[in-house]
Amino acid sequence: MNKIEHIGIAVNSLEKSIDVYQKLLNTDCYKTELVVSELVNTAFFKTGENKVELLEGTAPESAIAKFIEKKGEGIHHIAFAVDDILAEMERLKQEGFVLLNEQPKKGADNKMVCFVHPKDTNGVLIELCQEIKWI
Ligand SMILES: C[C@@H](C(=O)O)C(=O)SCCNC(=O)CCNC(=O)[C@H](O)C(C)(C)COP(=O)(O)OP(=O)(O)OC[C@H]1O[C@@H](n2cnc3c(N)ncnc32)[C@H](O)[C@@H]1OP(=O)(O)O
Ligand SMILES: [Co+2]
């Protein structure tokens, strides 16, 4: 795996939290993106090499809404950049990790993503992301 691609933070209100993180990081949110398939609305910030993703659930059954219901707002996942998501998924499967999706799925900010169950990773939800390259 390569660098940390982003840290995902679960928030109740994207609008309010964009304001907070703009002030905190002293930089503007560079993109908001609705990911209908994940039932999330997202906002992205860049700080140097790093990215922060704020996530608001768009329905009560969304992973973000369920997480906030149980644990409150806070860090929801850590995403790692990978060069070859299929190879990395296969490697992790061989190592015994439970993948939450069998096929890579469309994430935000031009990525294919796969999640690893937090029970296998000390309670931390892990996301793998491979950049989609357009030919
Ligand atoms: C747009 C995209 C992108 O960046 O491109 C994104 O990030 S989308 C980000 C949103 N999408 C996702 O998160 C998709 C992957 N997530 C999932 O499949 C799910 O949220 C699971 C992680 C499997 C949890 O779902 P499930 O329905 O089992 O929920 P649950 O509430 O019953 O939780 C089962 C157990 O997992 C724990 N749990 C739930 N979410 C957790 C999280 N984010 N980090 C650590 N632990 C977590 C719960 O506390 C509970 O622990 P106890 O059993 O001890 O009570
Ligand atoms: Co993410």
Side-chain angles (χ1 to χ4, degrees), residues 66-83:
K66 283 167 76 180
F67 176 85
I68 290 177
E69 182 76 31
K70 273 202 171 159
K71 301 196 192 200
E73 293 180 294
I75 295 181
H76 179 260
H77 62 269
I78 299 179
F80 291 91
V82 298
D83 294 327

Side-chain angles (χ1 to χ4, degrees), residues 4-128:
I4 289 178
E5 212 284 327
H6 63 264
I7 291 183
I9 300 176
V11 303
N12 278 319
S13 160
L14 201 61
E15 197 187 342
K16 285 188 189 143
S17 307
I18 286 174
D19 258 9
V20 171
Y21 277 78
Q22 283 188 161
K23 285 186 193 134
L24 176 76
L25 303 173
N26 198 20
T27 187
D28 286 343
C29 161
Y30 71 90
K31 156 186 264 195
T32 58
E33 185 175 345
L34 183 67
V35 184
V36 176
S37 51
E38 287 299 306
L39 302 174
V40 294
N41 204 0
T42 66
F44 283 89
F45 296 83
K46 277 192 187 123
T47 52
E49 288 268 292
N50 304 115
K51 280 163 57 178
V52 172
E53 175 187 40
L54 302 180
L55 303 113
E56 175 192 74
T58 59
E61 65 273 25
S62 118
I64 297 301
K66 283 167 76 180
F67 176 85
I68 290 177
E69 182 76 31
K70 273 202 171 159
K71 301 196 192 200
E73 293 180 294
I75 295 181
H76 179 260
H77 62 269
I78 299 179
F80 291 91
V82 298
D83 294 327
D84 182 343
I85 196 166
L86 288 173
E88 203 58 22
M89 286 169 68
E90 187 52 38
R91 185 184 72 78
L92 291 177
K93 237 196 290 186
Q94 295 299 324
E95 293 284 5
F97 292 95
V98 171
L99 303 181
L100 290 165
N101 46 293
E102 279 293 316
Q103 294 299 324
K105 54 184 180 177
K106 175 91 176 54
D109 213 18
N110 197 38
K111 302 284 188 299
M112 294 306 291
V113 304
C114 177
F115 288 89
V116 182
H117 202 292
K119 78 179 168 61
D120 293 335
T121 49
N122 303 85
V124 180
L125 177 64
I126 302 292
E127 177 184 345
L128 311 177

